[in-house]
Amino acid sequence: MIRKFFPSLLMPLLSGVLLVLTSPMFNLWQLMMIALVPYFLFVLTTERTWRLILGTFLFAIPYCMAEGAPFFHLAGTWWTKGSTILGMPSMVAYPIGIFSIALAAALFYLLPLAVCLPLKRRERFSPIVFALAFALADYLRAMILFGGYTFGTMGYALIETTYLKHVASLTSVFGLTFIAVLCGAWCALF
C-alpha cells in the first residue's frame, strides 16, 4: 500500500521541483518543456479524484511559493510592520501569510484538473484542452490573486529564449504558458 501511494505522489512533487528550477532564482528555463511531464503522467495514470487533487497541490504549492516569493516579499512588508498581527508576532505572521497566499494560488490549478477530468474518464484526454485550461488558470491567478500582475506565470521562464520572445510579443506570456504545457502534455502522452 505505501509503495503504491508514495511513488505516484512523488511524480507531481517532481514537477513542482522542476518548475521551481525554472524560476528566476535558478533560471534553468530549459527544463520548462519537460517539467510538467511527471505531473501529466500522474494525471493520466491516477484514477481517484482525491489523489489527483492532492497531487495537484503537491505540484503547485512549491511552484507558487518560488514564483511568488519576490512579490510576497514586496507586498508582505506592509502587513507585517506592526509588532503583532492578530496576536501573533510578525515573524510568525509573515510565513503564515506567504503560505496562505501560495495555497490560494495553488487552488487555481484545480481548474485545469476540473476541465480535463471528465475528458480523461471518457478516454479523450486532449493536450490542447489541458494547455488552454492551464493558461486560463495562470491568467485568472494573475488577474484575480495578484491584482493584474503576472508574477508566477509559467511563460516567464521562456521569455528570454530568442525565438519564443517573438511569440510572446504576439500571444503574451500566457501564450508561452500554453506552449510549455502543450509540450509537456504531448510528451506525457507519448
Side-chain angles (χ1 to χ4, degrees), residues 105 108 111-112 133-149 153 174:
F108 284 91
L111 173 70
F134 241 85
L136 178 65
D138 256 359
Y139 176 79
L140 291 175
R141 188 169 59 107
M143 295 304 143
I144 294 171
L145 189 65
F146 295 137
Y149 295 101
T153 302
F174 302 109

Side-chain angles (χ1 to χ4, degrees), residues 71-117:
F71 178 70
F72 300 150
H73 181 67
L74 290 173
T77 55
W78 67 267
W79 51 269
T80 59
K81 287 210 188 249
S83 59
T84 61
I85 299 168
L86 298 174
M88 293 183 288
S90 62
M91 290 177 19
V92 175
Y94 183 71
I96 290 172
I98 288 177
F99 184 75
S100 63
I101 292 172
L103 187 62
L107 285 172
F108 284 91
Y109 289 110
L110 291 178
L111 173 70
L113 189 64
V115 167
C116 292
L117 201 56

